[in-house]
């Protein structure tokens, strides 16, 4: 589909629902709880919130504005706004990130399919922590089953993108996002009435500053970018569909708020169960898939709630995976003039193959890269390297290269609305964001030692 036939979002609520649909996904409900569990709880949460405020939100505002100025896909945006400059690589880094993220995203979303069927078949009845662990490990290290579901999920994603998603995404998100909130709140209420709920809450909310290390900041930063869908061009692409009337600043704040709220609510659903059923909070990527079935098994009509929960997790994943695939598809069909249909099928197949390798690397076969499984490597590479790299370049681009007047004009809708914190925003772009991300990179490449 060409850029001039993009219809764009039809309403303010639609914009927020779709952008929040991209932001709220597996990152909030699956990734956030286990990353916070691995990184010491409350200390991580406060660093995470600071990263969202000072790095994530400014980059989101910047991405929306750039997309709405250029009105083209993320790669073409930089070609158009910064012709023949180094900044064109931002788009290509975004493409690589999209490929890496989608590869493992499909695997995790595929697990949801399996869990939906398991909950319906009563596999979670009278669950013990050991059995929950076993069910999860058997699934992820299996050969055929997780691959089947991963491929099914990728084709579902491709199917929607194939038939045009703009109206679809918006409509779909407006119904599904509120539903997701309702289910999470029901789960929270159940989790809060568990025996050791307090231990879980204090793990989540007790700010023990002594636990903050450079690695905490590093992980929080990557998680903030991943969760907010920034650093990769998703929000540039969505920005190109937003009408000139919308207020980009408040849109960004609303999306970031909804995204953070869902992450915290997911933490509240999971940690009381983790502490009540003696699951190790640092048990890694399986946390939500092991502890939540435990909660459901103790719940009245638990099978139904379990089923509903994994359907919603799947749907949350789907509204995000579509936004990731769209970044690749929009670029390939515009730049190479290939039909949307061909590009979508081709991309879906290639990403699915990489997803198969991810899935196998979880135990069925030993497929390692840099001492981690292929899947863990892609997960780490994208969030902790590619997204921050994209973000630092966007930040430097906005702080130093791009016409400041044009940018402010876009954010104020031609002077019609106020832009509070303008100075602060530019301070963040020019100094703070590049500084923080550079320090983290230098430390991780062992160039400096703090
Ligand atoms: N934010 C989504 C989540 O939390 C995943 C996602 C969608 C994403 N688009 C992105 C992550 C772009 C990074 C970049 O699950």
């Amino acid at each position: 589909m060409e850029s001039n036939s993009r219809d764009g979002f039809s309403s303010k609520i639609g914009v927020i629902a779709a952008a929040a649909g991209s932001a709220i996904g597996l990152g909030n409900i699956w990734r956030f709880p286990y990353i916070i569990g691995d990184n010491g709880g409350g200390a991580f949460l406060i660093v995470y919130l600071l990263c969202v405020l000072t790095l994530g939100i400014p980059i989101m505002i910047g991405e929306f504005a750039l997309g709405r100025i250029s009105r083209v896909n993320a790669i073409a945006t930089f070609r158009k706004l910064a012709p023949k400059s180094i900044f064109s690589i931002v788009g290509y880094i975004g493409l690589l990130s999209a490929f890496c993220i989608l590869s493992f995203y499909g695997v995790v979303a595929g697990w949801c399919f399996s869990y939906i069927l398991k909950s319906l078949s009563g596999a979670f009845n009278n669950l013990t922590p050991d059995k929950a662990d076993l069910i999860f490990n058997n699934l992820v290290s299996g050969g055929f089953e997780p691959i089947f579901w991963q491929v099914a999920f990728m084709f579902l994603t491709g199917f929607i993108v194939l038939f045009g998603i703009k109206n679809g995404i918006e409509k779909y998100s407006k119904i599904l996002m509120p539903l997701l909130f309702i289910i999470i709140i029901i789960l929270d209420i159940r989790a809060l009435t568990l025996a050791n709920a307090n231990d879980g809450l204090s793990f989540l909310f007790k700010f023990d500053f002594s636990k903050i290390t450079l690695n905490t900041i590093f992980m929080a930063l990557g998680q903030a970018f991943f969760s907010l869908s920034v650093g990769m061009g998703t929000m540039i692409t969505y920005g190109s569909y937003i009408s000139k009337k919308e207020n980009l600043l408040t849109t960004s704040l609303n999306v970031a708020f909804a995204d953070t709220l869902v992450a915290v609510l997911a933490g509240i659903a999971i940690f009381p169960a983790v502490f009540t059923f003696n699951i190790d909070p640092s048990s890694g990527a399986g946390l939500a898939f092991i502890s939540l079935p435990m909660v459901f098994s103790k719940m009245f009509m638990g099978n139904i709630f379990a089923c509903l929960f994994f359907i919603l997790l799947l749907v949350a994943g789907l509204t995000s995976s579509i936004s990731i695939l769209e970044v690749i598809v929009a670029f390939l069909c515009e730049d190479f003039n290939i039909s949307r249909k061909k590009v979508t099928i081709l991309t879906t197949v290639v990403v699915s193959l990489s997803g198969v390798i991810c899935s196998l690397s979880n135990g069925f076969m030993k497929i390692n890269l840099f001492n981690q499984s292929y899947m863990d490597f892609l997960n780490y590479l994208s969030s902790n390297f590619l997204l921050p790299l994209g973000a630092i370049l966007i930040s430097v681009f906005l702080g130093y290269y791009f016409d400041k007047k044009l940018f402010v004009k876009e954010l104020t809708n031609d002077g019609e609305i106020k832009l509070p914190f303008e100075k602060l925003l530019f301070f963040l772009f020019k100094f703070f964001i590049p500084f923080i991300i550079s320090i983290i990179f230098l430390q991780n490449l062992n160039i400096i030692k703090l």
Side-chain angles (χ1 to χ4, degrees), residues 22-23 25-28 101 105 226-227 229-230 232 234 320 323-324 387:
S22 169
L26 304 177
N28 306 62
I101 294 174
Y105 213 81
F226 185 89
S227 189
S229 301
V230 298
M232 193 193 97
T234 301
S320 300
S323 76
I324 308 174
L387 297 180

Side-chain angles (χ1 to χ4, degrees), residues 267-281:
I268 296 176
I270 288 173
F271 286 107
V274 166
F275 282 85
T276 302
F277 304 118
N278 281 323
I279 296 162
D280 178 8

